[in-house]
Amino acid sequence: KQEVTQIPAALSVPEGENLVLNCSFTDSAIYNLQWFRQDPGKGLTSLLLIQSSQREQTSGRLNASLDKSSGRSTLYIAASQPGDSATYLCAVTRSYNTDKLIFGTGTRLQVFP
Amino acid sequence: DAGVIQSPRHEVTEMGQEVTLRCKPISGHNSLFWYRQTMMRGLELLIYFNNNVPIDDSGMPEDRFSAKMPNASFSTLKIQPSEPRDSAVYFCASSSLGQGYNEQFFGPGTRLTVL
């Protein structure tokens, strides 16, 4: 059974720091991995999606990497801002024939001015 | 594109009442998902449809929960009778299975409170 874990569970940093959020999964047979952001009381916003054949994806100040063989992904946030404060979730899908997501436990990030 | 649309955004009801949550997926998407989120259990997949057919309903907690997708642009999640432990935020999401990267897009959620 696929299990997805995120460390740390919570993180509080001053503005301007570069951050790394971690996601690990127990079964390396994944099709893709998706990072989401969730603001308090809101829905999930897709940030980045990495196909199993890819090593990384970038969007603005965000960079997500994937090491499938070791069951790990990291989300790198450069020059963090207070507006980055949210909960970050990673999720994996198992195969091309299903888009059922298995979610991680989330990292709650607070960036203070 | 308007994104995934859910209604109502908030629902407060009394125990024993029937609750119906509604979802309109993104036009052209062929998969639809219902999730529940609570502080204790995080995000849980309840059921998902592909081409309007339920594929996996193993996450539906009890017979009190039912979901339908009568056409490609509409789905409902019904709870009858509702109980206080059903209080949660219910999300609907959609994606295009087999037509790209299977990226899921979420609606804003319905916050359900059962008194």
Side-chain angles (χ1 to χ4, degrees), chain B residues 97-110:
Chain B
L97 177 63
Q99 299 174 21
Y101 299 140
N102 300 354
E103 187 174 5
Q104 283 193 27
F105 296 87
F106 280 69
T110 295

Side-chain angles (χ1 to χ4, degrees), chain A residues 1-102:
Chain A
K1 178 185 175 187
Q2 177 74 274
E3 292 185 1
V4 183
T5 306
Q6 292 184 246
I7 295 174
L11 187 61
S12 182
V13 300
E15 182 177 10
E17 278 203 7
N18 299 324
L19 308 172
V20 175
L21 307 182
N22 297 294
C23 172
S24 60
F25 43 95
T26 54
D27 186 350
S28 63
I30 64 168
Y31 177 63
N32 66 35
L33 184 144
Q34 205 167 343
W35 281 94
F36 293 89
R37 167 187 172 136
Q38 185 174 28
D39 293 280
K42 306 288 186 182
L44 278 70
T45 300
S46 179
L47 297 174
L48 290 164
L49 182 146
I50 311 177
Q51 290 282 77
S52 61
S53 58
Q54 297 173 324
R55 295 300 300 270
E56 65 178 335
Q57 283 286 331
T58 298
S59 176
R61 293 183 295 109
L62 305 179
N63 175 275
S65 66
L66 174 64
D67 184 345
K68 205 173 93 163
S69 61
S70 66
R72 293 179 185 174
S73 176
T74 60
L75 179 66
Y76 177 81
I77 304 176
S80 58
Q81 303 171 357
D84 295 330
S85 299
T87 296
Y88 291 80
L89 295 145
C90 68
V92 300
T93 56
R94 191 177 67 245
S95 72
Y96 176 80
N97 293 323
T98 175
D99 42 4
K100 179 177 177 179
L101 282 171
I102 310 297

